[in-house]
Amino acid sequence: MNRTEPVTLTNMCMIKNGNKILVLDRNDPVWPGLTFPGGHVDKHESFHDSVVREIKEETGLTIKNPHLAGVKQFYDKNNERYLVFFYIATDFSGSLQESDEGKLSWLTKDELEHHKLAYNFDHDLPVYFDEKISEHMLDGKRDELF
């Protein structure tokens, strides 16, 4: 039995500044709406280095000591596994600089929950806000938090 499979590796990071959270209003027509910044893990790149790089590219901020909060997994349109590593960062430097990804803004948790979010992102939020939850599994049969 083959124990390997094709997989896409990505990350997303909730950056907190006091009671404010940095959100990205994505321009992407495939997945528009509010989410947290992040992106793909490059070949031979550590997960940590990828989230630091992606946050710098999308926000202009340099995050320090991002904490892995959990993971999301689902199967893409090619039926291949897609993993999103969810990070939280509270230590950062630099000034905000928007990218082609979309508009950046600081919102409270309550404000975030009352905006138009990217598809299914509301199901990801418990992984960030509930320490007892570390995984979001989504496929055609189920949408579960563990």
Side-chain angles (χ1 to χ4, degrees):
M1 178 172 154
N2 187 355
R3 296 195 181 266
T4 63
E5 64 179 304
V7 63
T8 299
L9 302 171
T10 64
N11 60 63
M12 186 179 290
C13 187
M14 179 173 71
I15 302 169
K16 296 170 66 176
N17 187 9
N19 72 335
K20 297 285 187 168
I21 300 165
L22 185 63
V23 296
L24 172 67
D25 191 359
R26 292 177 49 90
N27 293 329
D28 186 346
V30 176
W31 201 51
L34 288 184
T35 186
F36 299 143
H40 286 82
V41 179
D42 289 340
K43 191 173 184 178
H44 298 284
E45 184 179 39
S46 73
F47 302 135
H48 171 273
D49 290 352
S50 73
V51 74
V52 171
R53 175 185 53 76
E54 283 289 348
I55 296 307
K56 180 71 172 175
E57 290 174 2
E58 292 188 8
T59 71
L61 300 177
T62 300
I63 58 173
K64 299 175 187 107
N65 305 314
H67 167 73
L68 183 63
V71 66
K72 175 181 182 175
Q73 61 177 316
F74 60 93
Y75 289 87
D76 66 17
K77 63 184 177 186
N78 298 318
N79 201 33
E80 294 179 351
R81 190 180 302 261
Y82 196 106
L83 295 175
V84 186
F85 295 94
F86 292 155
Y87 285 89
I88 298 173
T90 57
D91 188 6
F92 59 90
S93 61
S95 56
L96 282 183
Q97 297 173 6
E98 291 181 354
S99 71
D100 293 339
E101 295 288 327
K103 184 179 178 202
L104 297 167
S105 58
W106 293 98
L107 300 177
T108 65
K109 179 183 177 199
D110 187 56
E111 290 170 331
L112 171 65
E113 292 172 341
H114 290 93
H115 273 76
K116 182 184 182 313
L117 304 178
Y119 173 75
N120 215 34
F121 186 56
D122 58 324
H123 293 236
D124 298 339
L125 291 177
V127 179
Y128 287 98
F129 294 113
D130 186 338
E131 292 181 5
K132 296 177 186 164
I133 298 172
S134 63
E135 182 178 346
H136 180 195
M137 174 65 185
L138 177 65
D139 66 23
K141 302 175 200 99
R142 61 186 176 165
D143 184 352
E144 294 184 67
L145 296 169
F146 301 97

